[in-house]
Amino acid sequence: MTSTSITDATRELLLSRIRDVPDYPKPGVLFKDITPLLADPAAFTALTDFLAELCVRHGATKIVGLEARGFILAAPVAVRAGLGFVPVRKAGKLPGATLGQAYELEYGTAEIEIHAEDLSAGDRVMVIDDVLATGGTAEASLELVRRAGAQVAGVSVLMELGFLSGRARLEAGLRDAPLEALITL
Ligand SMILES: O=P(O)(O)OC[C@H]1O[C@H](OP(=O)(O)OP(=O)(O)O)[C@H](O)[C@@H]1O
Ligand SMILES: Nc1ncnc2[nH]cnc12
């Protein structure tokens, strides 16, 4: 389900600040680089404002950001929305008691972790990331959110790489929660 109502002008602005880098980090991968967008205060503000609005609209009580690029978006969104931020980190980076989940992505395999104590049964979590590619990272994060005892309010990403079918892969994990993608490529 998508219920995004970003304006065409904002979408064009965001799209114009995403740089294509061919063959990075491996041959055959077209890397979508968001650093030009982050360097443009108008684009970065428009993006974080819109994501914060989505979090409120979907009744989120916590924001989960996915390391590393997801942190850059999710932290200002959490502040803007007045909600707590919970990091999902690559394995071995969190000092407390963690839950872990292994997953595959477009160019390798990885494992992510969360501090279980940061979420509770009453929480509704919006997961935020920059890119939905194969959906492996987001799928693993939904597992972690549920294993930590919280509900999923949705997944919001700046861009979805439609040809990698992450949306289909996430369907089961989302159940009826929304997947919001501001840009679909
Ligand atoms: O849908 P998927 O196939 O799982 O891919 C999407 C994920 O891949 C990228 O992260 P990456 O693991 O490259 O880490 P980074 O943010 O630290 O660069 C991106 O930021 C997403 O988190
Ligand atoms: N093609 C891509 N560009 C940027 N980030 C990604 N994460 C997974 N695939 C990606």
Side-chain angles (χ1 to χ4, degrees), residues 102-110 134-137 139-140 169:
Y103 65 103
E104 288 185 7
L105 41 70
E106 192 184 357
Y107 37 75
T109 59
T134 66
T137 313
E139 184 182 42
R169 180 170 175 178

Side-chain angles (χ1 to χ4, degrees), residues 66-70 90 103-107 129-138:
L66 308 184
E67 185 176 3
R69 282 171 271 151
K90 306 281 165 60
Y103 65 103
E104 288 185 7
L105 41 70
E106 192 184 357
Y107 37 75
D129 207 351
D130 63 333
V131 176
L132 180 76
T134 66
T137 313

